[in-house]
Amino acid sequence: MAQGHMIPAVDMARLLADGGATISFITTPINAARIRPIIDRIHNSALPIRFIELRFPSAEAAENLLKPFVEALPLLCPQLESYLQQSSTPKPDCIIADNWHYWTVEVARKFGIPRLVFHGQSCFSIYCSTVLRRRKMLDEIEDDFQVFELPEMPEKIEVMKAQVWTIGPLSLYNKHVEDRASRGKPSSIDGGVLLQWLNGKTSNSVILVSFGSISRNAFPQIIEIGYALEASKIPFIWVVKETDKWMSEFEERTRLTGLVIRGWAPQSVILSHEAVGGFMTHCGWNSTLEAIAAGVPMVTWPRFGDQFLNERMVVDVLKVGVAVGVKLPPTKVVMAAGEKGLRVVRREEVEEAVRKLMGRGEEAEERRKRVREFGVMASKAMEDGGSSFHNLKDLINFAASHST
Ligand code: UDP
């Protein structure tokens, strides 16, 4: 559906196929078109992955993460059932469904196939949401803007490590630059031009600025970000989905220090380049994990959903980020400000966060050191013998042993 769900799902499919599983990756035609580069790459590889396209029985334009679409998801149910009933379909040992596809539980039950849920979010944010839901805390709090503390788990909850298959960071499955470049949509910048630009910069000097695949900045906010980057004189790559004349002029003025990518950037390629020493991010969980896996500290600028909890994880728990200081989703800012409407994060605030992150002071060096250590731990998890390696094997064995 959204790139933030499909990209790691494709990585997971490749990881599982590499581990000995045969995969049928089920999606819809429009979503398949969005990940065409990686599908083509997989077709040219020896990995046993087939892509099955189920026609969405509604307006095709709605085949992405939009509210009506989410409500219409169960409409895919008959298509999946008839696919599973075809004589040419090998009976799956296991269905792994994205957490939005809750309806697959009924299909799995009907066909007697074990079903696992793939959560693209962090365990930390799932934990927090679970505590909130279980204690019905949000029902009790009337004021949207009241600050409250997350409590500890009240009951004794017994689980086994073996019941949770944490695998990944999935982005690290992509060891070669071509693999990283083919994640998600086709890149809007020529790979050679990008690498040449990055190769010309000293190590850890560049900040990448990107807010994921869904979030958009209001125009007054874009201007503040632009002036902050310009004033900081720190080399930057800025990925913008918005177009404007102001942006063209900005690009012209800053062409010595900056690179503006309009559209889709090969984010994993950029983050793993040694010239990149910082990432201004909306704290989408994929972006957060990709930065940690690449050992890159972050300026955090959450927008909605789990992103505010991911920020707390990055800034307070892991201590590898500098918060730009937003306290509320943009829609709530408008609500809180009433008539006054949008309040942007001012250029001075943006510049201060960028300077703090990219600076050479003790605090910045400590942050850098910590995130690099986490990056090494992440790579170790994915190597032979690492935790992800073991959990993946365990997952495949689980599916095989429950096969009927
Ligand atoms: N991404 C990318 N290029 C872009 C924008 C996004 O490669 O120009 C990728 C990014 O690397 C990540 C995913 O798209 O893998 C975005 O997922 P995330 O969970 O960070 O945020 P969302 O887009 O779902 O808000």
Side-chain angles (χ1 to χ4, degrees):
M1 304 193 299
Q3 294 282 359
H5 290 241
M6 286 198 294
I7 291 174
V10 174
D11 284 344
M12 178 169 55
R14 292 156 72 212
L15 190 60
L16 286 165
D18 225 12
T22 303
I23 310 287
S24 300
F25 190 101
I26 298 180
T27 182
T28 59
I30 286 186
N31 282 310
R34 287 163 179 259
I35 53 168
R36 186 56 59 197
I38 192 66
I39 294 182
D40 292 344
R41 209 167 153 73
I42 290 171
H43 280 156
N44 294 330
S45 75
L47 287 178
I49 304 178
R50 300 186 304 155
F51 285 83
I52 314 291
E53 296 177 19
L54 300 185
R55 291 224 155 261
F56 199 72
S58 170
E60 296 229 331
E63 279 180 31
N64 214 274
L65 195 51
L66 299 168
K67 191 159 175 279
F69 169 67
V70 172
E71 284 161 6
L73 283 177
L75 296 176
L76 276 171
C77 186
Q79 315 255 354
L80 180 59
E81 290 195 357
S82 74
Y83 163 72
L84 289 170
Q85 271 155 356
Q86 282 166 24
S87 54
S88 56
T89 304
K91 180 161 184 235
D93 297 316
C94 186
I95 295 178
I96 304 181
D98 184 278
N99 62 326
W100 286 94
H101 289 289
Y102 54 88
W103 54 272
T104 51
V105 71
E106 294 307 330
V107 181
R109 196 172 287 146
K110 188 165 164 190
F111 287 80
I113 306 167
R115 169 182 170 271
L116 302 176
V117 179
F118 173 60
H119 289 281
Q121 293 183 10
S122 70
C123 296
F124 179 76
S125 79
I126 295 170
Y127 170 82
C128 295
S129 315
T130 306
V131 174
L132 286 175
R133 226 181 350 250
R134 186 165 296 145
R135 299 190 102 195
K136 299 195 170 61
M137 288 186 69
L138 295 181
D139 295 348
E140 288 157 20
I141 297 170
E142 280 183 10
D143 181 359
D144 259 8
F145 305 106
Q146 182 190 329
V147 178
F148 67 96
E149 264 183 48
L150 274 173
E152 290 294 318
M153 276 290 200
E155 309 97 337
K156 186 171 169 198
I157 295 172
E158 292 181 328
V159 287
M160 286 183 291
K161 197 172 172 191
Q163 295 167 329
V164 185
W165 284 290
T166 48
I167 56 170
L170 293 170
S171 60
L172 288 180
Y173 180 72
N174 303 280
K175 295 196 180 59
H176 304 291
V177 77
E178 293 85 4
D179 276 328
R180 291 190 204 116
S182 57
R183 298 175 84 229
K185 292 187 194 174
S187 172
S188 306
I189 182 165
D190 176 79
V193 171
L194 174 66
L195 284 180
Q196 199 184 3
W197 190 90
L198 282 166
N199 290 341
K201 299 285 175 283
T202 51
S203 131
N204 284 324
S205 65
V206 177
I207 184 162
L208 169 67
V209 180
S210 182
F211 299 95
S213 62
I214 306 168
S215 298
R216 296 285 178 272
N217 279 301
F219 183 59
Q221 187 62 77
I222 291 178
I223 293 186
E224 295 303 302
I225 297 172
Y227 281 126
L229 291 174
E230 193 173 356
S232 77
K233 301 204 167 54
I234 289 168
F236 65 86
I237 294 181
W238 187 7
V239 186
V240 288
K241 313 284 185 218
E242 309 85 353
T243 50
D244 191 87
K245 185 166 163 282
W246 182 88
M247 187 58 80
S248 308
E249 289 165 7
F250 168 84
E251 211 174 334
E252 192 54 43
R253 274 202 318 276
T254 56
R255 72 168 53 251
L256 285 180
T257 46
L259 180 65
V260 174
I261 301 179
R262 292 160 185 270
W264 190 260
Q267 186 168 298
S268 305
V269 174
I270 300 172
L271 283 174
S272 55
H273 194 284
E274 62 163 5
V276 177
F279 180 26
M280 184 184 289
T281 173
H282 69 309
C283 301
W285 186 238
N286 290 289
S287 296
T288 306
L289 258 189
E290 286 161 15
I292 293 171
V296 175
M298 288 158 264
V299 166
T300 57
W301 192 326
R303 301 301 166 99
F304 62 87
D306 59 334
Q307 295 160 11
F308 284 87
L309 290 169
N310 295 340
E311 175 183 59
R312 296 274 62 83
M313 178 80 177
V314 168
V315 177
D316 300 337
V317 183
L318 300 180
K319 301 186 172 56
V320 296
V322 174
V324 82
V326 284
K327 299 278 182 263
L328 293 168
T331 46
K332 301 271 178 185
V333 173
V334 176
M335 270 168 65
E339 294 289 290
K340 280 178 263 148
L342 187 73
R343 177 200 172 275
V344 296
V345 180
R346 286 179 290 113
R347 64 193 73 174
E348 295 80 12
E349 297 169 283
V350 180
E351 189 185 342
E352 193 191 329
V354 169
R355 283 190 185 283
K356 220 168 149 185
L357 188 84
M358 302 300 283
R360 295 284 145 205
E362 202 180 318
E363 207 185 304
E365 294 296 357
E366 180 59 24
R367 206 178 287 119
R368 230 166 253 133
K369 188 167 151 266
R370 288 176 68 82
V371 74
R372 256 186 233 128
E373 284 169 5
F374 287 128
V376 171
M377 284 161 74
S379 296
K380 285 207 174 124
M382 285 288 278
E383 281 166 13
D384 288 8
S387 63
S388 174
F389 175 86
H390 283 302
N391 287 340
L392 184 85
K393 269 186 154 176
D394 211 35
L395 192 162
I396 291 174
N397 287 340
F398 165 84
S401 65
H402 283 72
S403 161
T404 46

